[in-house]
Amino acid sequence: MGLHKIVQILIVVTFLGVYEIATRMHWLDSFTFTPFSTMVLNMVENLSNQEYLKNHFGITAFEILTSFLGAVIFGIIIGIILWRSDFIHHIFQPYLMLFYAIPFFALYPIFISIFGVGPFPVIVIGLLFSMPAVITNTALGFREIRKVLIKVGLSNNLSFRQMLLYIYFPAAWPLIFTGIKLAAAYSIIGVIATEFILSARGIGYTISYAYNNFDLNGMYSSVLLVVVISLVVNFVLGLIENKLYQRNV
Amino acid sequence: MGSTLIMAIVIYFNIGTKGRRTMTDLLMKVENLTKIYSDGSKDVIALQNIDFSVEKGEFISIVGPSGCGKTTLLEILSGLRSATSGSIKIKGKAVNGPQDSIGIVFQEESTFPWRTVLENVEFGLQMQGKPKSEYRQKAIKMIELVGLKGFENSYPHQLSGGMRQRVAIARTLVTEPEIVVMDEPFGALDEQTRLILGGELLKIVEQTKATVVLVTHSIQEAALLSDKIVVLSARPGRIKHLIKSSLPKPRDAQALTTPEFAEITQKLWSSLEEESLMRQESNEDKVVG
């Protein structure tokens, strides 16, 4: 393990340690902060609760996964269309660039009136929020393939299917994967944020419910769970990327 | 003026007397090839009436001032671009489009970064649908031939520029194309590596009995490697000279010091110098006009 890794870990451990002591000694306002160890205990307790597991964690995991996979699949398909057609690409490029400049969640009253409440609108919003990242990166990845690699394929007399499988996809993969990683982060944000306002189930809902009822422990345990989910997703995607990165520098 | 005339005579004489080879197995014939790019309003003639032939096992270089259409000619030869008129025939069959009988080595970095050296070299045969046992064995042999034994499982980014170009050459040669077309394959490398790799290339080519058409702007490279050198004129590209080399084979860096080598480079120099001067003059005319 390199020195920088050790320092990185030390920073987190020190921060959590100081925070733990500060809350236990009541240096920090106990109506705002709870000790880290309490958060962890509450989180574990929540996760061993069947109802929480099924109605909140399970629903949220399902919503995140569905919106993420949907964003990846549709995003790649639409990205391919934008790559093959200059016309469509030129039309939609500015909209895609502007998408993340719009404060998406400020539009929530509209979402409620269109989609109502429940898991379906949550998934749709998570998907809409994360898909543009995949579209943009897929189109860019395919468009930026070095011409000479395509020439190698053509000079080997490859069919379009072979070009796609053996040249285009592997060459564009690093950028597509960047889009996929962004989509994972965006779909987590999209799902949790939508649950705050549009749902009666899910982790986002438990956070806002606990907050409104001054249930500090309940709130922090769910917040911690969201952080843990993000870290796990990031870690898994990082592993996959590392495996592919070796092949793609 | 006088020296040019003498040069022309010398070159003619050379073609007349030394232009004999024991093999006269015609492989590729380029006839009357012309390429015109039309850019909406005006036409640019890139190549005009190019005629030459390639015999089996021959090593041909194409040199010329920059912008004379060398790369265009090469892309037409390899079927990646179509000619405006004229024809290319390989063993009597017209070339229109890429085909397995022609292999190309590109100037730019062209190895697949997502494949190991072995997988890179296997690419062509794998795409042709050959059984794995066959292409793996051939690829391993070819990797050994280009001097990359021990690097089979490395990725291109772990290799130097010269090694990557060896991988690209191996990837092309392993498919055993009738003609290997190379576009300044060592252009991105330093002069020293370029000549060393050039010498190695000759050995490999001799072992695999490949026929090579090489585009280069290095006079030394052309003189060292070729049996026949086609000198193109400045735009529009026409064949200005056809120089045959009598350098003994096998050649290596030693050949650089022989009088024959000096003679060929001298011929190439004066031929190209003339072209470059003419080009400059015509450019100056344009500025004045």
Side-chain angles (χ1 to χ4, degrees):
Chain A
M1 206 181 339
L3 185 65
H4 68 282
K5 279 241 160 112
I6 297 171
V7 176
Q8 277 169 355
I9 292 168
L10 273 181
I11 289 174
V12 176
V13 171
T14 314
F15 175 78
L16 290 179
V18 170
Y19 176 77
E20 179 78 24
I21 294 165
T23 44
R24 291 262 173 232
M25 306 294 285
H26 299 287
W27 296 338
L28 286 171
D29 176 17
S30 52
F31 287 104
T32 314
F33 299 102
T34 60
F36 183 66
S37 52
T38 316
M39 289 182 206
V40 175
L41 285 177
N42 283 327
M43 188 184 82
V44 173
E45 193 185 318
N46 271 344
L47 285 177
S48 52
N49 176 333
Q50 277 303 315
E51 200 232 322
Y52 185 92
L53 209 58
K54 199 168 123 243
N55 268 346
H56 302 303
F57 178 79
I59 288 284
T60 301
F62 171 73
E63 287 165 347
I64 290 174
L65 204 69
T66 318
S67 63
F68 169 67
L69 288 179
V72 168
I73 293 167
F74 293 120
I76 288 179
I77 292 173
I78 297 172
I80 288 178
I81 294 171
L82 293 195
W83 158 54
R84 299 306 290 179
S85 163
D86 280 335
F87 182 66
I88 298 176
H89 183 252
H90 284 138
I91 291 174
F92 287 102
Q93 178 69 2
Y95 296 118
L96 284 168
M97 297 291 279
L98 276 177
F99 183 83
Y100 288 110
I102 297 168
F104 195 68
F105 292 100
L107 307 175
Y108 82 93
I110 305 171
F111 298 142
I112 296 183
S113 52
I114 297 176
F115 300 120
V117 290
F120 178 69
V122 178
I123 291 170
V124 170
I125 291 168
L127 186 144
L128 286 178
F129 191 55
S130 51
M131 196 168 62
V134 184
I135 297 176
T136 314
N137 280 280
T138 304
L140 197 70
F142 280 121
R143 283 178 171 269
E144 306 251 297
I145 297 174
R146 289 193 301 123
K147 292 261 171 351
V148 69
L149 297 183
I150 297 172
K151 280 191 202 165
V152 173
L154 292 178
S155 71
N156 273 287
N157 235 341
L158 302 199
S159 64
F160 183 71
R161 197 188 69 87
Q162 281 177 313
M163 288 295 285
L164 209 56
L165 227 56
Y166 295 100
I167 308 265
Y168 294 135
F169 257 112
W173 189 243
L175 265 176
I176 296 177
F177 201 80
T178 306
I180 290 176
K181 277 197 340 195
L182 282 172
Y186 284 141
S187 60
I188 293 173
I189 296 172
V191 164
I192 302 289
T194 313
E195 281 176 350
F196 283 157
I197 44 185
L198 282 191
S199 182
R201 284 190 294 182
I203 301 173
Y205 165 76
T206 62
I207 293 173
S208 78
Y209 181 84
Y211 173 74
N212 288 326
N213 291 285
F214 305 105
D215 174 12
L216 217 53
N217 287 335
M219 185 186 87
Y220 273 117
S221 66
S222 288
V223 169
L224 184 64
L225 185 58
V226 173
V227 174
V228 170
I229 291 174
S230 299
L231 289 178
V232 168
V233 167
N234 229 305
F235 179 74
V236 171
L237 288 176
L239 276 187
I240 297 173
E241 192 188 25
N242 268 344
K243 258 210 149 104
L244 299 166
Y245 195 63
Q246 166 80 344
R247 307 176 144 241
N248 259 310
V249 179
Chain B
M1 188 61 206
S3 68
T4 319
L5 191 65
I6 293 168
M7 196 54 65
I9 292 168
V10 168
I11 289 163
Y12 179 72
F13 184 71
N14 256 339
I15 293 168
T17 58
K18 292 181 185 164
R20 48 174 165 63
R21 290 171 62 87
T22 42
M23 282 187 292
T24 46
D25 197 354
L26 186 67
L27 186 58
M28 178 164 80
K29 191 151 181 59
V30 179
E31 273 177 320
N32 237 336
L33 202 71
T34 298
K35 175 73 184 178
I36 299 170
Y37 288 110
S38 33
D39 158 30
S41 54
K42 63 172 189 185
D43 291 347
V44 177
I45 304 171
L47 295 168
Q48 199 171 38
N49 302 333
I50 304 287
D51 272 292
F52 66 92
S53 57
V54 183
E55 282 160 27
K56 197 162 170 46
E58 216 172 16
F59 198 120
I60 291 195
S61 289
I62 299 171
V63 295
S66 50
C68 70
K70 287 179 298 222
T71 299
T72 303
L73 175 56
L74 193 135
E75 288 189 348
I76 295 173
L77 291 185
S78 46
L80 289 176
R81 216 180 264 280
S82 60
T84 310
S85 64
S87 71
I88 299 165
K89 283 179 182 147
I90 292 182
K91 288 182 167 172
K93 256 174 60 188
V95 174
N96 36 21
Q99 41 209 283
D100 293 341
S101 57
I102 305 171
I104 313 176
V105 178
F106 295 94
Q107 174 180 12
E108 307 125 272
E109 169 65 58
S110 68
T111 50
F112 298 125
W114 58 88
R115 286 177 162 243
T116 60
V117 169
L118 182 63
E119 288 163 347
N120 258 289
V121 176
E122 286 173 346
F123 181 76
L125 293 171
Q126 187 192 353
M127 293 300 109
Q128 284 173 19
K130 297 271 173 4
K132 187 167 182 170
S133 54
E134 184 194 325
Y135 66 66
R136 174 130 304 177
Q137 204 186 1
K138 281 189 176 171
I140 287 170
K141 254 192 211 153
M142 187 52 72
I143 288 168
E144 201 177 333
L145 194 61
V146 298
L148 287 177
K149 198 177 162 133
F151 292 96
E152 287 86 353
N153 296 317
S154 304
Y155 283 93
H157 71 95
Q158 296 166 315
L159 308 177
S160 69
M163 288 159 96
R164 283 202 287 267
Q165 202 54 310
R166 284 169 205 243
V167 175
I169 289 169
R171 183 180 61 193
T172 302
L173 289 179
V174 78
T175 61
E176 292 165 12
E178 300 263 17
I179 296 183
V180 182
V181 175
M182 298 188 178
D183 183 8
E184 299 193 28
F186 311 127
L189 307 174
D190 59 276
E191 189 68 18
Q192 203 180 341
T193 316
R194 170 197 283 238
L195 287 177
I196 292 171
L197 268 186
E200 282 185 26
L201 177 65
L202 265 190
K203 278 184 206 141
I204 295 164
V205 163
E206 259 153 38
Q207 281 191 48
T208 55
K209 299 191 172 56
T211 307
V212 179
V213 178
L214 172 81
V215 164
T216 178
H217 60 232
S218 163
I219 287 174
Q220 287 206 314
E221 198 173 278
L224 177 67
L225 303 179
S226 323
D227 300 312
K228 197 154 84 185
I229 303 162
V230 176
V231 182
L232 289 184
S233 66
R235 182 172 290 163
R238 295 191 205 102
I239 293 190
K240 185 178 161 74
H241 286 136
L242 199 71
I243 300 172
K244 296 210 175 188
S245 160
S246 52
L247 270 180
K249 282 189 168 183
R251 299 172 195 163
D252 51 26
Q254 293 282 316
L256 292 172
T257 56
T258 60
E260 288 96 336
F261 181 79
E263 191 193 344
I264 295 166
T265 41
Q266 178 54 40
K267 275 185 216 165
L268 282 170
W269 259 119
S270 45
S271 184
L272 280 170
E273 195 177 33
E274 228 175 72
E275 275 314 309
S276 303
L277 286 178
M278 261 159 60
R279 210 165 93 103
Q280 265 177 13
E281 273 162 27
S282 71
N283 281 347
E284 276 160 22
D285 285 351
K286 265 182 224 154
V287 173
V288 175

